[in-house]
Amino acid sequence: MICFMFPGQPLTFETTVPDDPDFRQATALTLERTGLDLANSALLGEGLTEHVRLQVYGVAMSLYRCRRLRREGTVPAIIAEHSMGIYPAMAACGALDDGDALELTCRIGACIAAMGTRRSYALGCVTGLTAAPLMAVAENNGVFLANYNTSRHFLLSGERRNVEDAVAEALNSGAFTARSFPCDAPLHSPLMEEVAGELREVVGDYRFREPVLPLMSHIDQDYLAAADLPEFLVRELSLPVYWERTCRALSDAGVSRFVEVGVGDSLKKYNRWIASEGGR
């Protein structure tokens, strides 16, 4: 059984872009629905922050690569998503059109980015510590565990100074690596409740169809139906991403081949670590 897994926001734009009809179609659709030009992503998208441009770019590239994989004969039996990967994942399982997925990504991103005009936020990437000691570090510094990617790879989320302090404490506590990077908002933390009402208004403008392929939630590893999706899109931004649990649940469901559909190979790397610990 093949699983298409859709990663979250990439950290950077790729230096080269494809040149084929599918990419040109994706470029035209992205420009029409979001104002972002995939071929010149740093030049267009006026009024969008760098993070929102990366979010739209990541979704567009996932949609493009999903189309290419299917054209080449690779067909998924189940869909998985990680953080912002929920948007192309909904399109891949037929719950939303590609154009609506792009537009919704842009609108949600802009809503989230407004938080960054009021306070300074960051994410912290920590490897080497297990969850229990890192949770203590997070509590000491008033931040939150946002991503449980593997048993020793996590993201912290919160106000920038607090995240920077937590990263420093994590290094002193034995982390292999730990670094922070600015972000528009404290993603996957309770602090996102500040914009929950606005997010619901945005999501309410869209209608979701029943997925034609099983779509697994990264929160509780249940399968999402059309009726679940509007509230999931709001709730998932305030709750952690549990990728290790998701990977194990997919394996238990019979997945024998994972295909990462997006920019980079972060999920593939997480899966290798999970497999090394007997995850699948």
Side-chain angles (χ1 to χ4, degrees), residues 99-115:
D100 283 347
L102 287 161
E103 181 184 280
L104 182 56
T105 301
C106 190
R107 292 182 65 192
I108 290 287
C111 184
I112 290 170
M115 294 184 71

Side-chain angles (χ1 to χ4, degrees), residues 6 17 53 59 169 195 220 252 258:
F6 291 86
V17 296
R53 289 199 296 270
V59 169
E169 184 175 337
V195 293
D220 55 15
D252 290 343
F258 290 86

Side-chain angles (χ1 to χ4, degrees), residues 70-203:
R70 281 179 157 147
R71 189 183 299 281
E72 292 162 4
T74 303
V75 180
I78 191 169
I79 303 294
E81 46 77 31
H82 181 285
S83 187
M84 295 296 291
I86 182 60
Y87 299 96
M90 289 189 296
C93 72
L96 207 60
D97 293 335
D98 286 8
D100 283 347
L102 287 161
E103 181 184 280
L104 182 56
T105 301
C106 190
R107 292 182 65 192
I108 290 287
C111 184
I112 290 170
M115 294 184 71
T117 65
R118 298 186 285 270
R119 294 183 188 85
S120 180
Y121 297 103
L123 298 176
C125 180
V126 181
T127 61
L129 294 180
T130 56
L134 189 58
M135 180 65 76
V137 169
E139 291 175 353
N140 289 344
N141 294 278
V143 300
F144 304 90
L145 263 68
N147 288 31
Y148 293 71
N149 291 322
T150 76
S151 66
R152 291 180 180 271
H153 188 289
F154 303 89
L155 285 189
L156 300 173
S157 181
E159 293 195 27
R160 184 170 182 175
R161 182 170 180 177
N162 294 345
V163 170
E164 290 171 349
D165 289 345
V167 162
E169 184 175 337
L171 286 169
N172 289 334
S173 299
F176 300 155
T177 62
R179 64 188 182 93
S180 65
F181 45 96
C183 190
D184 286 339
L187 299 175
H188 303 297
S189 83
L191 299 177
M192 294 299 300
E193 287 293 333
E194 178 182 321
V195 293
E198 298 157 72
L199 293 171
R200 287 190 177 92
E201 288 184 10
V202 171
V203 171

Side-chain angles (χ1 to χ4, degrees), residues 58-73:
V59 169
M61 293 304 293
S62 284
L63 294 172
Y64 160 69
R65 285 173 179 156
C66 183
R67 180 183 293 270
R68 292 292 300 172
L69 282 164
R70 281 179 157 147
R71 189 183 299 281
E72 292 162 4

